[in-house]
Amino acid sequence: MSAVPHLFQPVTFRSVTARNRITVSPMCQYSAEDGLGNDWHIQNLGAKAAGGAGIVFTEATHVSAIGRITPGCLGLWNDAQEAFLARLAALISRLGAVPGIQIAHAGRKASVTPPWEGNKPIPHAAGGWTPLAPSAIPFGEGYTIPEALRPGQIAEIVGQFAATARLARRAGFKIAEIHAAHGYLLHSFLSPLANHRDDSYGGDLAGRSRALMEVIDAVRGEWPAELPLFVRLSCTDWVEGGFTLEEAVMLAKRLKARGDVDLIDCSSGGASPAQRIPSLHPGYQVPFAERIRHEAGIATGAVGLIRDPFHAEEILGNGRADLVFLARALLADPAWPQRAARSLGLTPELPPQYQRAHLA
């Protein structure tokens, strides 16, 4: 190809430029201890940075102990966690990628076992805790009934998001993403399936999005104006009566108008076990990114079983999204970006230690 493929064109958000548009999506590893990461996290994300991705996100990094999904989830609320994540951010940067951190609170989906143990609720007697949510509605049958948050508790959690953003800035991360998807706390405020409040945090979309807006304000208070801020949304709940794509577009327009959010990471689902996705196929969520990009005029990230380099190139080349977020493809092959470069007619850039791989 005579021109550089869109997938490998640099992209800039505020003062931050990534070498390409391949983004390592946040992927929970359930391997931390008391929120503190270890060598697993270093090798996992280090390999993906060395593999050539442009932006490398941490897994969901939680703002408090009771905000974790599982006891093995990563957190950032103390100095030891900050020191570890500073090491991780420095490694990602040294390998040529932009370090990003996803800031999260699990809400009513907290206090469960990891996927390989069934995502089962953990009873208090076994070390579990009571989840927090906008309303006292459990995620599904057999799940712990969450505590409905009082306004003062919401304010406390907003402050925890801000504190985590402050620690993330000090640790050297260059992009922050607020997790408001997949049924976790901020998504559960957005979704009518989980939010039955009759105060200013419930009701219409303005009320249901109030918690998210307060978190954005608080995070921006700690996150420098020259650094980009992303928001991950579930653009539909895939359940009748849940959060809809039309509401996601309305919310994205509001975020665009505010001017403090730079990109919407467009995912879906996670609010209810009753969700029904009509067809799971490569790119099944790309239309969400495309519609929000064109109707709200804000940059978007496309996700959802994107595995083929030519498919990723089509998404970007046709203006359907600004970034592609990859998960399973990069779990299977951290060097996917290098292989994609070859497929698209480029000579991949490799760390000098890996130069002999050009012959592979």
Side-chain angles (χ1 to χ4, degrees), residues 258-283:
R258 288 170 56 103
D260 44 17
V261 171
D262 300 281
L263 178 140
I264 307 298
D265 177 2
C266 299
S267 190
S268 69
S272 170
Q275 70 180 30
R276 294 293 179 268
I277 301 173
S279 174
L280 277 172
H281 59 272

Side-chain angles (χ1 to χ4, degrees), residues 11 35 64 85 98 112 116 149 213 279 359:
V11 60
S64 69
L85 286 167
V98 175
V112 298
W116 51 82
L149 287 162
M213 298 303 175
S279 174
L359 302 176

Side-chain angles (χ1 to χ4, degrees), residues 32-59:
E33 185 173 347
D34 296 326
L36 182 62
N38 51 52
D39 288 348
W40 177 265
H41 302 86
I42 294 292
Q43 69 80 28
N44 176 50
L45 293 185
K48 291 166 180 57
I55 301 170
V56 176
F57 271 103
T58 66
E59 62 192 86

Side-chain angles (χ1 to χ4, degrees), residues 76-289:
L76 181 53
W77 62 81
N78 63 38
D79 291 344
Q81 295 160 352
E82 179 193 344
F84 170 77
L85 286 167
R87 178 186 170 202
L88 181 58
L91 174 64
I92 292 168
S93 296
R94 189 160 61 248
L95 292 168
V98 175
I101 185 167
Q102 187 187 65
I103 305 175
H105 189 297
R108 67 177 186 168
K109 295 179 79 172
S111 189
V112 298
T113 60
W116 51 82
E117 295 178 11
N119 277 128
K120 298 177 181 177
I122 303 172
H124 283 78
W129 58 92
T130 301
L132 304 174
S135 303
I137 304 169
F139 172 65
E141 186 176 350
Y143 282 79
T144 305
I145 297 175
E147 177 184 348
L149 287 162
R150 300 183 300 276
Q153 291 174 297
I154 297 172
E156 181 180 355
I157 291 172
V158 169
Q160 291 170 348
F161 271 88
T164 295
R166 180 171 64 253
L167 295 175
R169 170 176 51 81
R170 293 194 330 206
F173 288 94
K174 299 303 181 185
I175 302 175
E177 176 173 274
I178 295 169
H179 198 351
H182 301 165
Y184 300 123
L185 183 65
L186 294 175
H187 179 200
S188 68
F189 270 97
L190 292 172
S191 174
L193 302 175
N195 185 347
H196 290 187
R197 299 177 72 99
D198 58 7
D199 64 2
S200 60
Y201 290 96
D204 61 10
L205 180 60
R208 285 182 279 118
S209 62
R210 179 179 175 184
L212 173 59
M213 298 303 175
E214 290 181 352
V215 165
I216 292 171
D217 286 339
V219 167
R220 261 298 171 205
E222 298 289 348
W223 197 246
E226 67 269 17
L227 296 182
L229 178 64
F230 295 178
V231 172
R232 171 162 273 194
L233 291 179
S234 278
C235 297
T236 177
D237 285 340
W238 300 111
V239 178
E240 186 176 354
F243 190 71
T244 66
L245 177 55
E246 288 68 28
E247 288 185 312
V249 171
M250 292 169 59
L251 180 57
K253 288 180 178 178
R254 185 176 174 193
L255 295 178
K256 168 68 175 180
R258 288 170 56 103
D260 44 17
V261 171
D262 300 281
L263 178 140
I264 307 298
D265 177 2
C266 299
S267 190
S268 69
S272 170
Q275 70 180 30
R276 294 293 179 268
I277 301 173
S279 174
L280 277 172
H281 59 272
Y284 74 101
Q285 297 177 113
V286 173
F288 304 144

